Amino acid sequence: DAGITQSPRHKVTETGTPVTLRCHQTENHRYMYWYRQDPGHGLRLIHYSYGVKDTDKGEVSDGYSVSRSKTEDFLLTLESATSSQTSVYFCAISQATGGTDTQYFGPGTRLTVL
Amino acid sequence: AQSVTQPDIHITVSEGASLELRCNYSYGATPYLFWYVQSPGQGLQLLLKYFSGDTLVQGIKGFEAEFKRSQSSFNLRKPSVHWSDAAEYFCAVALDSNYQLIWGAGTKLIIKP
């Protein structure tokens, strides 16, 4: 157990509404990541953070924003949800980035945009 | 563009049989290599990783993987699968310490009784 929780675990929302997903960690890891998982695509990085208030874009960042005001929390916001953002969202943490440290994953949030 | 390919979307294996899951990557340099497993409805768990040194890497749950530079491959193996190994397996690659993981599309392993 890497001490990662995600909330909510399931959410159904309507097109055009804002949605915020939360990732919370208890182990003070420096790096946090948001991925989305879709069939046939594996995991794709949305945004990541390398410290409080330090974030950067990943492969599929359009339509998403993030914030990290505390080490333990990394928020993912869909400003105006679209059906193409229906997916399973995973948060991950690591002490170092890329290949030098293992990424540990949260349980995921299943988001459905109607 | 950098990419990771898992050629098999599904693989069906009888319980007790051996298993090999394929992973190929397209990079010029030797990357860091990972295999993760995802059980149904769960998050991802690291099985093993390769950074350098011995090209045969041992992981958890009896899995191993072999890095072959000449083939740009990092195939996952297990000599005898158990029904509990039914899951989806993902290969991932990082170029260096400042690069994020690039993921394959996954291979779903089905175990026949």
Side-chain angles (χ1 to χ4, degrees):
Chain A
D1 184 358
I4 311 170
T5 56
Q6 293 184 231
S7 59
R9 293 293 313 280
H10 301 272
K11 186 169 181 67
V12 179
T13 191
E14 294 188 349
T15 297
T17 59
V19 176
T20 296
L21 309 182
R22 179 180 183 238
C23 177
H24 179 78
Q25 59 146 329
T26 59
E27 299 189 357
N28 208 35
H29 284 268
R30 178 181 176 190
Y31 291 88
M32 299 185 75
Y33 309 81
W34 275 110
Y35 291 93
R36 60 177 290 172
Q37 184 179 36
D38 304 289
H41 290 278
L43 276 78
R44 292 180 290 176
L45 183 67
I46 304 171
H47 282 278
Y48 71 102
S49 169
Y50 46 95
V52 173
K53 293 191 166 68
D54 292 323
T55 65
D56 205 351
K57 296 179 181 180
E59 178 188 358
V60 291
S61 60
D62 287 348
Y64 302 94
S65 62
V66 291
S67 66
R68 192 169 178 199
S69 58
K70 299 184 289 184
T71 299
E72 58 266 35
D73 289 325
F74 192 32
L75 304 181
L76 176 71
T77 298
L78 291 65
E79 300 290 347
S80 178
T82 68
S83 58
S84 64
Q85 294 176 310
T86 292
S87 187
V88 180
Y89 291 85
F90 286 99
C91 173
I93 61 173
S94 68
Q95 195 60 18
T97 192
T100 60
D101 193 25
T102 299
Q103 290 190 18
Y104 297 94
F105 286 81
T109 294
R110 183 173 295 276
L111 176 67
T112 302
V113 183
L114 301 175
Chain B
Q2 302 128 351
S3 66
V4 177
T5 302
Q6 293 181 246
D8 304 304
I9 298 173
H10 301 276
I11 280 189
T12 300
V13 177
S14 297
E15 190 170 14
S18 64
L19 170 71
E20 182 169 29
L21 302 182
R22 297 181 290 165
C23 173
N24 294 93
Y25 62 90
S26 63
Y27 292 103
T30 298
Y32 300 92
L33 300 158
F34 304 79
W35 276 99
Y36 281 81
V37 61
Q38 184 179 30
S39 297
Q42 303 296 313
L44 289 96
Q45 181 183 22
L46 180 73
L47 283 176
L48 47 79
K49 59 187 177 185
Y50 172 79
F51 286 177
S52 63
D54 192 345
T55 56
L56 186 61
V57 180
Q58 301 299 320
I60 62 171
K61 305 185 181 188
F63 285 91
E64 66 179 25
E66 185 172 13
F67 168 57
K68 292 186 177 179
R69 185 190 308 274
S70 61
Q71 298 176 19
S72 297
S73 69
F74 189 54
N75 293 349
L76 182 71
R77 301 194 294 246
K78 186 170 185 178
S80 176
V81 298
H82 185 261
W83 65 267
S84 61
D85 293 324
E88 192 157 18
Y89 292 80
F90 292 92
C91 180
V93 168
L95 274 182
D96 56 34
S97 62
N98 294 317
Y99 205 85
Q100 295 81 51
L101 289 177
I102 304 297
W103 295 77
T107 297
K108 187 170 184 178
L109 176 63
I110 300 163
I111 306 295
K112 287 193 302 185

